[in-house]
Amino acid sequence: MNIAKVVVDVPASQTDRVYDYLIPEELINVLQPGMRVIVPFGNRRIMGFVLEISSSAEVDKLKEIQETMDLLPALTPELLDLGVWMGERTLSFHITALQAMLPQAMKATYQKVLVRTGNIPDALLPLFQEEDTSMYEQFEHSGVPLAVLQQAIKAGQIELRYQVNSKETKKTIRMIDADKSVEELQEALSNVNARAMKQRALLEHFIEEPGQIAQKHLLEMYETTGSTLKPLLDAGLLRSYDKEVLRDPYKDKQIERTRPLQLSDSQAKALEPILESIQSEAHEVFLLHGVTGSGKTEVYLQAIQQVLEKGQEAIVLVPEIALTPQTVNRFKGRFGSEVAVLHSALSAGEKYDEWRKIQRKQVKVAVGARSAIFAPFENLGIIIIDEEHETSYKQEDHPKYHARDIAVFRGEYHHAPVVLGSATPSLESYARAEKGVYHMLELPERVNHASMPDYQIIDMRDELHAGNRSIFARELLEQMKERIRRKEQIVLFLNRRGYSTFVMCRDCGHTVECPHCDITLTYHRSSEQLKCHYCGYEEQMPSICPACESDTIRYFGTGTQKVEESLTQLLPEARVIRMDVDTTRRKGAHEKLLGAFGRGEADILLGTQMIAKGLDFERVTLVGVLAADSMLHLPDFRAAEKTFQLLTQVSGRAGRHSLPGEVIIQTYSPEHYSVELAAAGDYRPFFQTEMQTRRAFQYPPYYYLALLTVSHQNQVKAMQTTQTIVQLLQKHLSDQVRILGPTPSPLARIKDRYRFQCMVKYKNEPNLRDVIRRILHHYEDARKKEDLQIHVDLQPYSLM
Ligand SMILES: Nc1ncnc2c1ncn2[C@@H]1O[C@H](COP(=O)(O)OP(=O)(O)OP(=O)(O)O)[C@@H](O)[C@H]1O
Ligand SMILES: [Zn+2]
Ligand SMILES: [Zn+2]
């Protein structure tokens, strides 16, 4: 068993295979599948994953593995299997799929450090001496066999950490400890001037309470500063050093512990089959369809509790924008320090620390956005995907996986249930549940007998005809005044997607576009700049029209800033909190703003997508949607579905507790079924209507899609390549497929590259992946040498 099968970190189709390497003497019995190693490749040293240890090789002359990066596998056997499957499914390189499962910090350049975490064996003592850490290099020069170190690591006595060579990944705190015996300190104390009270106090501290203490804490305790400490350090009585700490971003927060609630009848009914699946270890996918405020989270919590009682682990996925402190606290409140949170707002280092807690089995629940689906648990008892319809569960970069598919893979592997929860399930999932592929569970009512809110749809064209040119319909303004009078709260939602503030000349109609992309520039008021959201291009807002030189060039559209200004004019008494990318850029800002709103420090919460989900505030009784149809006109077959989902979610913030809620929807398309049916608050009629459209136009869930996008600086080249690809597809696929294209992409040019696409619609095409793989292979040279790009997205969510 001295051969390792290795996938190397060279993402290209020629190298997308397994290589054999010889395991050197000192790594035999140390290397395990899932560890990363450094191997010679050509004339380079590169990283690779060990997939398997074997006794036979394909070829005779083998190169040797140079060193190992890990002493504990970075990927479990399950995740190694998943890597193969994911690579196949998403047409990604195997190495890309494997890398995607690790936290960012592990992909960067690193430095290995050994950290003392228990009583260490004698052989390793010299490495540490008095310190708690030792550079790995020292170990390499020590002559101690790797197996000894590995044993100590497995026994939890030492930990191997990757310190990324950037500041943010490593967090240390300054510690102070006595550097002399208690007797010596006592003697020193008698020599300290009696008037140096604070110095004496510090020395007395270490006499009475020997042991290390954080400097900050020590100084606070004795209400003194570093200048008191310094003479004691200089005299060698005390010593200071930095200690690495595992960051816990939620540590300092007091989170109130909660207990399981008495379930309503329908909650209990929904929980029952999930518990059964957990108990009997029979994998099943559940679709928990529950209206907003129906208590889905409580069902998740109680299912997780059962899993923990069985000694198993749980993954909970929440969309990025719903990963608010409020959401996190619901899990932390129930399971305390058993919970790790994987959130993209954390620094790379913080994320890495949370990941390590999972790897080291210090936690049992992982709550996080999409990539948390790869949490390296080995005894999973349940996977929950909340708001399962969210398109952010699909990764847009390679590997282009959907978290739902990964969840099902892992659920099958662990014989564990997967629970997909939503008030507005994706059409794909609901259709599967109707067919019996998924097990449908329903929560048709809100908890505590709270009723669903009342709806009003307001046609903004009527407002205009009646002479109202403001952003707010008269009715909405009246209702807002009323709520403020009653000391209730209001949520105002403005959908920014597809509704940007663009600049147009009133005289000639000229709009200012990005010189590199076929898209209008967006006006940013704070900097008076026009920006391109695709390539980052910026220019000064012009004062005269570049086309006709008239000075009537203005910005159009409604941004949150503009709404806020209007509110100040029309409702000067209202206290407004605005939440958008601008006001939440700073770390912790999100939490602060929501906290203030929760404490009633504002009457109106005005925001974009980020306030649509997960918020549960008792006094919110009015929700206003300012532009319901802004998304309807996007070139996306899911436009109606997304509109319906968003309207339902936002509306769901109103009247969740004892006070009744009301929703006012402003729109220019009041007759559109997605607006009407969202107002009716009924999912099924929407599902049925939308399914008919999908069937008629041959879209999912009736058909599968593959989207190929070709881009090149030369427009003709991009077009012709797409044309050839279409011909190849036609030749090699069955007659059942429909191939659309070549057509220019909706975003026809980005960063000076022209983009063309073709779309394959199919029901059953077992050859498809092979054919596409061959096409990609065929263009491999051109992609490298001529800078041709071909992107393949199977089951795409972004069609732009
Ligand atoms: N059995 C119960 N008894 C009392 N209160 C409950 C119960 N279940 C849930 N709640 C409370 O009801 C409120 C709404 O529940 P929850 O937020 O879980 O609903 P949800 O279905 O996840 O809603 P949404 O989809 O809108 O986020 C919460 O404040 C929750 O604490
Ligand atoms: Zn003009
Ligand atoms: Zn641009």
Side-chain angles (χ1 to χ4, degrees):
M1 301 295 264
N2 62 340
I3 311 288
K5 312 260 170 201
V6 176
V7 178
V8 295
D9 187 11
V10 185
S13 50
Q14 296 92 334
T15 50
D16 192 25
R17 61 184 193 82
V18 177
Y19 290 87
D20 288 339
Y21 282 93
L22 207 57
I23 306 177
E25 194 65 36
E26 74 270 18
L27 289 183
I28 286 183
N29 296 329
V30 169
L31 274 194
Q32 287 170 38
M35 290 182 180
R36 296 167 306 155
V37 288
I38 304 289
V39 293
F41 195 79
N43 46 14
R44 291 186 293 157
R45 279 161 49 91
I46 55 172
M47 192 276 283
F49 283 85
V50 176
L51 291 189
E52 214 183 298
I53 310 279
S54 147
S55 48
S56 64
E58 306 272 310
V59 288
D60 303 337
K61 266 192 68 192
L62 293 183
K63 290 188 188 165
E64 247 188 16
I65 288 177
Q66 290 188 340
E67 62 175 287
T68 178
M69 286 173 74
D70 303 312
L71 286 174
L72 291 178
L75 293 176
T76 62
E78 179 212 355
L79 294 179
L80 287 177
D81 283 357
L82 175 58
V84 175
W85 182 82
M86 182 161 63
E88 285 282 320
R89 282 273 305 197
T90 63
L91 289 171
S92 318
F93 300 123
H94 194 172
I95 187 71
T96 312
L98 294 172
Q99 291 275 47
M101 295 188 261
L102 294 180
Q104 196 61 39
M106 285 175 80
K107 296 169 214 162
T109 52
Y110 67 97
Q111 210 173 16
K112 284 192 287 195
V113 182
L114 298 175
V115 183
R116 180 206 299 257
T117 46
N119 283 329
I120 52 181
D122 292 348
L124 295 170
L125 269 178
L127 290 179
F128 289 90
Q129 293 167 0
E130 299 294 304
E131 302 297 317
D132 281 332
T133 58
S134 162
M135 299 309 289
Y136 187 77
E137 261 189 305
Q138 260 178 292
F139 167 78
E140 285 180 308
H141 296 296
S142 69
V144 179
L146 250 184
V148 174
L149 178 60
Q150 190 177 33
Q151 199 48 50
I153 290 176
K154 282 187 182 156
Q157 299 158 340
I158 292 184
E159 228 188 89
L160 174 64
R161 288 191 196 162
Y162 307 95
Q163 257 175 23
V164 179
N165 296 327
S166 86
K167 264 195 238 105
E168 63 157 8
T169 51
K170 184 181 160 201
K171 172 144 194 243
T172 59
I173 48 171
R174 177 127 289 216
M175 303 296 292
I176 306 292
D177 202 348
D179 209 14
K180 292 269 154 54
S181 68
V182 171
E183 292 75 34
E184 286 169 302
L185 292 182
Q186 257 155 355
E187 197 192 319
L189 182 63
S190 59
N191 295 330
V192 175
N193 189 326
R195 275 184 302 175
M197 306 265 287
K198 299 277 177 175
Q199 262 187 37
R200 296 182 66 93
L202 292 185
L203 273 181
E204 277 162 4
H205 171 88
F206 287 98
I207 292 169
E208 276 151 32
E209 253 179 89
Q212 58 176 18
I213 179 171
Q215 171 171 323
K216 182 164 172 270
H217 190 74
L218 179 74
L219 298 181
E220 270 168 16
M221 232 159 55
Y222 296 99
E223 294 177 337
T224 183
T225 62
S227 56
T228 319
L229 194 58
K230 190 159 180 299
L232 300 174
L233 292 170
D234 289 347
L237 296 168
L238 303 180
R239 68 187 179 106
S240 73
Y241 53 93
D242 289 334
K243 181 174 159 188
E244 195 196 338
V245 286
L246 267 192
R247 277 148 294 213
D248 180 353
Y250 298 91
K251 186 178 56 196
D252 296 333
K253 310 212 173 103
Q254 284 298 326
I255 299 169
E256 216 175 297
R257 290 305 287 261
T258 62
R259 316 177 117 270
L261 301 171
Q262 177 71 42
L263 295 184
S264 69
D265 286 350
S266 44
Q267 281 174 319
K269 225 174 106 201
L271 181 61
E272 175 80 28
I274 302 176
L275 294 184
E276 247 173 59
S277 168
I278 295 169
Q279 218 48 48
S280 59
E281 308 202 350
H283 163 73
E284 213 178 329
V285 181
F286 296 95
L287 178 64
L288 178 58
H289 175 214
V291 298
T292 54
S294 58
K296 294 184 285 295
T297 314
E298 187 61 30
V299 174
Y300 304 153
L301 290 170
Q302 299 201 12
I304 295 171
Q305 185 175 350
Q306 166 103 352
V307 164
L308 298 189
E309 280 165 12
K310 253 186 99 215
Q312 291 185 295
E313 299 135 356
I315 294 177
V316 184
L317 296 193
V318 177
E320 193 66 61
I321 48 169
L323 209 42
T324 57
Q326 224 187 6
T327 310
V328 169
N329 289 353
R330 292 177 78 174
F331 291 91
K332 288 241 169 193
R334 193 66 57 88
F335 305 116
S337 56
E338 299 270 41
V339 182
V341 181
L342 299 160
H343 185 227
S344 75
L346 303 180
S347 70
E350 287 171 330
K351 259 184 273 180
Y352 174 43
D353 285 351
E354 294 290 295
W355 184 87
R356 274 194 322 204
K357 289 185 199 160
I358 299 168
Q359 193 199 25
R360 286 188 278 153
K361 316 269 180 301
Q362 290 176 336
V363 293
K364 293 197 165 299
V365 183
V367 179
R370 182 179 60 228
S371 62
I373 194 63
F374 300 118
F377 286 127
E378 292 183 274
N379 190 10
L380 269 174
I382 195 168
I383 300 174
I384 293 162
I385 303 187
D386 191 26
E387 311 285 359
E388 69 88 31
H389 60 276
E390 269 292 306
T391 53
S392 63
Y393 286 127
K394 171 76 190 287
Q395 162 138 315
E396 294 297 339
D397 298 329
H398 280 299
K400 300 185 180 184
Y401 67 88
H402 197 296
R404 205 192 288 137
D405 300 329
I406 308 292
V408 173
F409 179 99
R410 298 199 71 183
E412 277 173 2
Y413 186 97
H414 290 277
H415 310 288
V418 172
V419 180
L420 310 174
S422 177
T424 51
S426 64
L427 257 70
E428 285 87 340
S429 295
Y430 199 83
R432 279 190 196 139
E434 281 225 315
K435 277 206 302 198
V437 181
Y438 295 167
H439 186 148
M440 179 96 80
L441 304 170
E442 304 208 65
L443 298 175
E445 285 129 30
R446 285 187 157 181
V447 281
N448 297 332
H449 312 288
S451 48
M452 296 304 283
D454 281 334
Y455 284 82
Q456 280 191 60
I457 299 179
I458 295 180
D459 187 339
M460 289 306 278
R461 291 168 302 192
D462 295 345
E463 292 292 310
L464 201 62
H465 293 153
N468 176 13
R469 295 178 164 273
S470 105
I471 299 169
F472 308 106
R474 293 158 297 176
E475 175 71 14
L476 178 58
L477 198 61
E478 271 322 300
Q479 295 284 352
M480 289 200 284
K481 284 183 185 155
E482 175 66 22
R483 304 298 142 141
I484 295 172
R485 213 173 9 248
R486 298 209 301 244
K487 304 236 172 325
E488 294 172 4
Q489 290 181 304
I490 302 153
V491 166
L492 279 186
F493 174 75
L494 179 70
N495 186 11
R496 291 272 300 175
R497 224 175 277 164
Y499 200 81
S500 62
T501 41
F502 61 101
V503 168
M504 190 171 88
C505 170
R506 290 197 170 183
D507 241 7
C508 74
H510 176 79
T511 55
V512 183
E513 294 194 347
C514 174
H516 309 289
C517 312
D518 284 342
I519 190 111
T520 52
L521 294 175
T522 300
Y523 176 66
H524 284 248
R525 157 154 289 190
S526 49
S527 55
E528 282 280 309
Q529 293 271 9
L530 300 178
K531 288 186 191 164
C532 172
H533 283 183
Y534 284 88
C535 73
Y537 170 85
E538 285 184 22
E539 66 177 51
Q540 204 65 58
M541 165 79 185
S543 52
I544 55 168
C545 169
C548 74
E549 303 194 340
S550 134
D551 61 359
T552 57
I553 190 150
R554 296 283 184 280
Y555 71 91
F556 283 78
T558 309
T560 40
Q561 288 179 345
K562 202 167 162 189
V563 176
E564 190 181 21
E565 282 168 21
S566 278
L567 281 173
T568 328
Q569 272 169 21
L570 296 170
L571 295 173
E573 73 276 26
R575 297 164 301 161
V576 182
I577 288 180
R578 173 164 69 93
M579 277 187 75
D580 55 24
V581 279
D582 289 326
T583 61
T584 55
R585 198 165 289 132
R586 291 240 313 281
K587 207 174 160 182
H590 205 174
E591 183 172 5
K592 226 160 107 196
L593 294 175
L594 287 180
F597 189 66
R599 289 189 299 274
E601 290 165 23
D603 309 296
I604 302 178
L605 179 66
L606 161 66
T608 54
Q609 256 76 358
M610 64 179 75
I611 62 166
K613 299 188 186 292
L615 304 187
D616 188 12
F617 293 114
E618 215 161 317
R619 298 202 66 79
V620 172
T621 58
L622 176 65
V623 167
V625 179
L626 296 181
D629 36 14
S630 57
M631 244 179 354
L632 269 182
H633 310 295
L634 291 178
D636 181 343
F637 69 90
R638 289 193 178 87
E641 184 183 356
K642 287 181 181 168
T643 302
F644 177 84
Q645 286 164 344
L646 200 60
L647 290 180
T648 308
Q649 294 292 343
V650 188
S651 312
R653 302 310 112 204
R656 291 167 71 87
H657 296 264
S658 47
L659 299 167
E662 174 146 13
V663 178
I664 297 183
I665 296 176
Q666 300 188 167
T667 175
Y668 291 95
S669 327
E671 65 294 327
H672 193 282
Y673 64 95
S674 62
V675 178
E676 266 187 336
L677 293 173
D682 212 351
Y683 180 81
R684 273 200 69 82
F686 171 78
F687 173 77
Q688 283 157 345
T689 314
E690 182 66 10
M691 283 295 268
Q692 282 166 13
T693 317
R694 299 287 178 90
R695 190 209 296 266
F697 293 96
Q698 300 182 319
Y699 276 117
Y702 289 102
Y703 281 78
Y704 293 112
L705 299 183
L707 181 70
L708 286 88
T709 306
V710 177
S711 79
H712 196 267
Q713 271 147 349
N714 182 323
Q715 189 171 14
V716 178
K717 168 108 185 160
M719 211 280 282
Q720 280 172 347
T721 308
T722 317
Q723 179 70 52
T724 315
I725 289 178
V726 168
Q727 283 161 358
L728 288 169
L729 288 168
Q730 270 161 351
K731 190 164 148 212
H732 295 287
L733 295 175
S734 77
D735 333 328
Q736 308 293 311
V737 298
R738 315 205 129 240
I739 302 175
L740 309 177
T743 48
S745 299
L747 270 164
R749 190 174 52 124
I750 296 181
K751 298 187 197 172
D752 291 319
R753 300 180 68 91
Y754 291 89
R755 306 168 77 240
F756 282 79
Q757 64 182 31
C758 68
M759 186 184 277
V760 185
K761 296 181 176 179
Y762 63 100
K763 271 191 180 289
N764 182 17
E765 206 63 27
N767 266 336
L768 179 76
R769 285 186 174 78
D770 256 353
V771 172
I772 295 178
R773 215 188 299 272
R774 290 214 303 272
I775 292 175
L776 291 176
H777 195 72
H778 173 78
Y779 282 105
E780 178 115 348
D781 264 359
R783 289 163 78 189
K784 263 201 223 103
K785 295 194 186 112
E786 297 164 42
D787 197 19
L788 180 75
Q789 286 178 9
I790 305 176
H791 290 284
V792 183
D793 195 351
L794 297 172
Q795 316 332 321
Y797 282 80
S798 159
L799 305 174
M800 306 291 275

